[in-house]
Amino acid sequence: MDPEVDSTGRLSQASSEMLFGALLQQTQDQVYFKDKRSRFVKASDAVVEKLGAKSMDDLIGKSDFDFFAAEHAQRTFDAEQRLMTEGKRLTNITEKEIWPDGTVTWATSTKIPLYLGEGNLVGLMGITRDITDRVKAEQALEESRELLRRKNEVMETDLENARRIQKSLIPGPIPNLYFAEVGVVNQAMMDVCGDVITF
């Protein structure tokens, strides 16, 4: 039997529970389900790892208040409660995560109210992806741009000062003397160090 055909057959016969379990174990995204009080009831292995829990059982009944700084946990709790009360979705929002030791990480999250049975709200489900590396790279690029902008400002100031000093040193109209001829040579320097004027 063709292994590929056999694999497809086994996959189509797999139960929803088996497929769901495989998703939670193998996805690199943080997939989670919370009750109406924003407490974890189920989560992927990626969530367990990120939050530093020993296993999924350690997450059950806990909330962001057990893992993040109070400021971040409260902001997340308020947003999730509003989401469930208003029945709205939060799609691909960027979140600044603050940890108890002050460390900051970044993530994008999609969260939607979770309805089961006859349409009764039971909580929410979410998918979060860590984007800390990307945000840090963007911040480093912005800092480089700002540094370059400041250096350009300093250079412009230096050039303007040089122009002002140069202007004050260059004599006015060449005098018309009957006993001498006056010539002026202005040699511009390539570096920011002023110009050489020879009489």
Side-chain angles (χ1 to χ4, degrees):
M1 178 179 285
D2 187 340
E4 185 174 341
V5 173
D6 184 47
S7 173
T8 303
R10 283 183 297 175
L11 179 60
S12 63
Q13 294 173 10
S15 67
S16 297
E17 183 177 350
M18 184 181 296
L19 293 173
F20 179 65
L23 169 69
L24 293 184
Q25 289 174 0
Q26 298 176 38
T27 180
Q28 297 302 304
D29 290 332
Q30 300 156 50
V31 180
Y32 46 90
F33 299 83
K34 294 182 178 181
D35 63 18
K36 290 196 285 187
R37 296 298 298 161
S38 292
R39 296 172 298 199
F40 290 101
V41 294
K42 196 78 172 173
S44 64
D45 288 357
V47 176
V48 175
E49 181 180 349
K50 177 164 184 176
L51 298 182
K54 294 179 180 178
S55 67
M56 178 59 233
D57 292 339
D58 290 335
L59 290 183
I60 296 176
K62 294 182 179 178
S63 71
D64 286 355
F65 288 98
D66 294 296
F67 303 101
F68 293 99
E71 173 190 351
H72 171 68
Q74 187 64 55
R75 187 168 58 244
T76 301
F77 177 81
D78 293 342
E80 291 177 351
Q81 291 300 303
R82 219 169 23 250
L83 173 154
M84 288 184 279
T85 300
E86 299 174 1
K88 295 182 178 179
R89 296 178 174 218
L90 296 176
T91 305
N92 204 30
I93 60 168
T94 299
E95 296 182 293
K96 178 182 179 181
E97 302 169 323
I98 305 173
W99 298 80
D101 64 358
T103 300
V104 172
T105 52
W106 295 86
T108 56
S109 296
T110 294
K111 301 177 183 182
I112 62 175
L114 180 61
Y115 300 93
L116 294 180
E118 299 178 355
N120 297 320
L121 177 70
V122 295
L124 66 87
M125 57 181 172
I127 300 176
T128 295
R129 177 171 295 175
D130 190 282
I131 58 167
T132 303
D133 290 342
R134 189 182 83 191
V135 171
K136 285 183 176 179
E138 290 172 353
Q139 288 175 340
L141 180 60
E142 185 57 35
E143 288 172 2
S144 295
R145 286 175 179 164
E146 178 62 18
L147 181 60
L148 181 59
R149 185 188 65 80
R150 290 180 182 176
K151 285 184 176 180
N152 284 339
E153 284 182 354
V154 170
M155 186 177 295
E156 282 295 326
T157 301
D158 287 345
L159 287 171
E160 182 57 36
N161 288 336
R163 281 192 291 267
R164 185 166 45 81
I165 294 170
Q166 180 188 64
K167 189 175 180 180
S168 68
L169 293 175
I170 295 177
I174 298 174
N176 187 10
L177 304 174
Y178 70 90
F179 57 84
E181 289 184 1
V182 179
V184 177
V185 174
N186 182 19
Q187 179 183 355
M189 301 295 288
M190 299 306 295
D191 298 322
V192 183
C193 60
D195 296 337
V196 174
I197 302 173
T198 304
F199 299 93

